[in-house]
């Protein structure tokens, strides 16, 4: 018997190959090539924190008023590609036609990109606020707070993205079947 999983294997493999190629490309990327993630994130951080940054090609976006740098490690690249794979697998699992499966892959990538900008901005914003509030309490240990906020934020958003994407997908498919 030919199962649903077998019908999706090619698409799952395509998503995984894209993930692996992007992950490999990340190793060779720099602050400039990650501008597609860093520039919008930095712009939103500037707005939220009422802070202007200066772009330094070798370092990143430096906010002198906050004494922070938004650099390569802040790009959210790994979150983006992980979200992409999660979303594409979720959509592929519930779509029936080859056309929808094919277009679900670039749609997943764009959807993951938009969500990544939001999550990244949120993560950086919360990190800045928490670090400002705890600066005198844990001198020299700010990196632990920064990493903890990152893990909690990213994991929470991955769970929420999965939940809402699944809900929206199933709701949309249910309405399609009724029509």
């Amino acid at each position: 018997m030919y199962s649903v999983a077998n019908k999706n294997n090619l698409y799952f493999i395509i998503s995984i190959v894209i993930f692996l190629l992007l992950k490999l490309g990340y190793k060779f990327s720099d602050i400039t090539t990650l501008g597609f993630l860093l520039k919008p994130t930095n712009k939103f951080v500037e707005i939220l924190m009422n802070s202007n940054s200066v772009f330094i090609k070798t370092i990143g976006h430096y906010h002198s008023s906050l004494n922070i740098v938004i650099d390569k490690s802040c790009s959210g690249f790994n979150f983006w590609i992980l979200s992409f794979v999660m979303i594409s697998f979720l959509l592929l699992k519930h779509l029936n036609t080859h056309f929808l499966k094919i277009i679900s892959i670039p749609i997943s990538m764009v959807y993951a990109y938009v969500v990544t900008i939001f999550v990244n901005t949120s993560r950086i914003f919360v990190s800045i606020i928490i670090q400002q509030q705890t600066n005198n309490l844990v001198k020299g240990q700010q990196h632990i707070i920064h990493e903890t906020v990152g893990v909690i934020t990213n994991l929470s958003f991955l769970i929420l993205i999965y939940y809402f994407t699944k809900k929206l997908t199933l709701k949309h498919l249910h309405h399609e079947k009724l029509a």
Side-chain angles (χ1 to χ4, degrees), residues 8-76:
N8 291 330
N9 283 345
L10 174 63
Y11 303 105
F12 290 150
I13 290 169
I14 290 169
S15 292
I16 291 169
V17 167
I18 291 170
F19 171 87
L20 293 173
L21 288 173
L22 289 170
K23 186 69 174 164
L24 179 64
Y26 179 72
K27 287 185 177 223
F28 303 104
S29 68
D30 60 16
I31 203 83
T32 307
T33 55
L34 294 171
F36 73 101
L37 288 166
L38 287 167
K39 285 179 184 176
T41 299
N42 181 64
K43 184 50 79 183
F44 286 120
V45 170
E46 284 181 336
I47 292 166
L48 288 170
M49 298 304 300
N50 194 26
S51 170
N52 292 320
S53 69
V54 175
F55 180 72
I56 303 168
K57 190 175 181 176
T58 56
I59 299 172
H61 299 273
Y62 175 64
H63 290 257
S64 59
S65 64
L66 302 170
N67 195 29
I68 64 157
V69 174
I70 298 177
D71 63 7
K72 180 179 178 177
S73 67
C74 300
S75 70

Side-chain angles (χ1 to χ4, degrees), residues 70-167:
I70 298 177
D71 63 7
K72 180 179 178 177
S73 67
C74 300
S75 70
F77 188 87
N78 289 318
F79 183 88
W80 175 54
I81 62 174
L82 184 60
S83 296
F84 157 69
V85 168
M86 180 184 73
I87 293 165
S88 67
F89 276 34
L90 185 59
L91 292 178
L92 289 169
K93 182 179 167 186
H94 296 287
L95 297 173
N96 295 322
T97 69
H98 289 293
F99 175 73
L100 289 176
K101 290 177 186 197
I102 289 168
I103 66 167
S104 74
I105 293 173
I107 287 171
S108 297
M109 190 166 282
V110 171
Y111 176 33
Y113 172 78
V114 171
V115 169
T116 297
I117 300 303
F118 174 76
V119 171
N120 226 18
T121 302
S122 301
R123 178 182 55 79
I124 293 169
F125 176 73
V126 170
S127 286
I128 292 168
I129 298 300
I130 289 176
Q131 286 183 345
Q132 287 175 343
Q133 299 302 315
T134 61
N135 198 26
N136 292 330
L137 297 174
V138 286
K139 284 194 182 279
Q141 301 300 314
Q142 291 295 322
H143 66 282
I144 294 171
I145 291 172
H146 181 76
E147 289 176 22
T148 303
V149 167
V151 169
I152 291 169
T153 304
N154 287 350
L155 181 59
S156 299
F157 275 108
L158 279 173
I159 292 167
L160 289 171
I161 293 164
Y162 178 86
Y163 175 78
F164 286 116
T165 303
K166 184 173 183 176
K167 219 112 159 110

